[in-house]
Amino acid sequence: MDLKSKIDLKKLPKHIAVIMDGNGRWAKQKGKIRIFGHQNGVKAVREVTEAAAELGVNYLTLYAFSTENWGRPAEEVNALMTLLVGTIRKEIKTLMKNKIRLQAIGNLKELPPKAYKELLEGIEKTKDNDRMTLVLALNYSARWEITEAVKQIATAAKSGVVDPENITANTISQALTTNGIPDPELMIRTSGETRISNFLLWQIAYAELYFTPVLWPDFRKDNLYEAIISFQNRERRFGKTSDQLVKG
Ligand code: IPE
Ligand code: IPE
Ligand code: MG
């Protein structure tokens, strides 16, 4: 039986988040420069997006560039930004064909102007697509996002719009850049690293984490299927006991 047919389509995670890691190591293994790894990571992005949409996943969030990644050599940062612009431009047709809506989270205004412009165009062109939403996390860090949310709520409290007594977890969720997007139920990280690296800290409170040694440029549809099958074989207890869940 192939992997895809082992997936229970009625129990799909509505939102999958992916930390795409290992491009540099993939390139090094081949004796190439790191940028070669990033270029080859685009195929994996395409495959995973297509596979998720075909299955019926509603949201796919890809961690493409963290706030901390600015600390990499300028040459690599520039290559990543150029790749971003080129990829969005090239992939718009496919996104339209597959009815995928593009969105982005992160400190987008601080992206290089060309990348920001291309991104906004892509978001605008695809805004009416309703099959799946592809969220790119760009210049994103969860601590930046939470800090911004705190500022926003504190300002509202100061001006009397919000009563601090009435602040709930929902108030915080709504002040995050992911407002309106359901929390990820499954988070995947490739390349064997088992850390979160400042990604969606608030939103993954109850996500199932899946780590695979596969390096991102090698990640294909079957790797996504494996992660979903693993997700479907877990018992999500949300603090309750196993017996309580069985009894419903
Ligand atoms: C992930 O691959 C891509 C980005 C962070 C942009 P890396 O570039 O981190 O690859 P490794 O971890 O060095 O192998
Ligand atoms: C996380 O990968 C960021 C992205 C995938 C965009 P990193 O490679 O930057 O993470 P660390 O530095 O190994 O934690
Ligand atoms: Mg890395």
Side-chain angles (χ1 to χ4, degrees):
M1 199 158 83
D2 68 343
L3 281 169
K4 194 179 177 185
S5 55
K6 287 188 187 160
I7 296 175
D8 180 349
L9 294 175
K10 289 192 288 299
K11 289 186 187 153
L12 279 179
K14 286 185 190 62
H15 182 179
I16 300 176
V18 187
I19 303 177
M20 311 185 286
D21 199 16
N23 296 353
R25 278 163 282 170
W26 185 89
K28 196 171 182 190
Q29 281 176 4
K30 297 191 154 38
K32 308 273 189 181
I33 56 164
R34 296 178 54 83
I35 295 164
F36 183 69
H38 299 314
Q39 288 163 343
N40 281 276
V42 177
K43 177 145 174 59
V45 171
R46 223 178 273 136
E47 285 249 337
V48 168
T49 307
E50 200 180 280
E54 283 166 356
L55 284 171
V57 170
N58 300 124
Y59 291 88
L60 175 69
T61 299
L62 303 177
Y63 203 6
F65 193 86
S66 76
T67 308
E68 288 76 18
N69 288 146
W70 292 114
R72 292 189 177 194
E75 210 187 26
E76 181 171 347
V77 171
N78 292 339
L80 278 167
M81 291 301 152
T82 307
L83 191 63
L84 174 71
V85 174
T87 305
I88 296 177
R89 196 172 295 159
K90 267 193 237 138
E91 299 300 318
I92 287 290
K93 254 200 222 146
T94 316
L95 293 180
M96 293 308 290
K97 195 180 87 203
N98 294 331
K99 296 195 168 57
I100 297 169
R101 176 168 68 139
L102 184 67
Q103 281 200 342
I105 55 170
N107 192 354
L108 308 177
K109 290 195 188 99
E110 302 287 316
L111 286 169
K114 242 191 182 169
Y116 183 56
K117 189 172 158 270
E118 202 64 41
L119 188 64
L120 290 190
E121 274 179 31
I123 292 171
E124 176 59 29
K125 279 190 190 140
T126 60
K127 72 175 187 320
D128 295 324
N129 294 343
D130 56 7
R131 183 150 163 240
M132 184 179 82
T133 301
L134 172 66
V135 185
L136 295 181
L138 288 165
N139 193 15
Y140 175 89
S141 102
R143 285 188 170 180
W144 163 81
E145 177 182 47
I146 293 168
T147 308
E148 289 303 307
V150 170
K151 278 190 208 162
Q152 197 182 308
I153 297 167
T155 307
K158 196 178 169 195
S159 65
V161 178
V162 163
D163 179 352
E165 286 301 318
N166 295 333
I167 293 174
T168 63
N170 256 345
T171 319
I172 298 169
S173 291
Q174 285 164 8
L176 299 173
T177 56
T178 48
N179 179 26
I181 300 174
D183 287 341
E185 291 173 280
L186 169 63
M187 170 162 309
I188 300 170
R189 183 173 187 144
T190 59
S191 89
E193 306 299 349
T194 47
R195 58 176 170 266
I196 301 299
S197 303
N198 217 347
F199 194 36
L200 302 173
L201 295 180
W202 173 272
Q203 298 87 338
I204 58 163
Y206 262 109
E208 295 297 330
L209 307 180
Y210 179 87
F211 299 102
T212 168
V214 174
L215 302 174
W216 180 250
D218 288 330
F219 201 88
R220 292 291 175 269
K221 289 184 179 183
D222 272 351
N223 300 110
L224 180 75
Y225 301 152
E226 275 166 6
I228 295 174
I229 292 164
S230 163
F231 168 85
Q232 293 188 331
N233 284 316
R234 299 182 191 188
E235 184 177 62
R236 305 187 73 207
R237 289 191 284 276
F238 299 100
K240 298 207 164 96
T241 68
S242 197
D243 283 352
Q244 281 176 301
L245 295 177
V246 176
K247 282 177 202 144

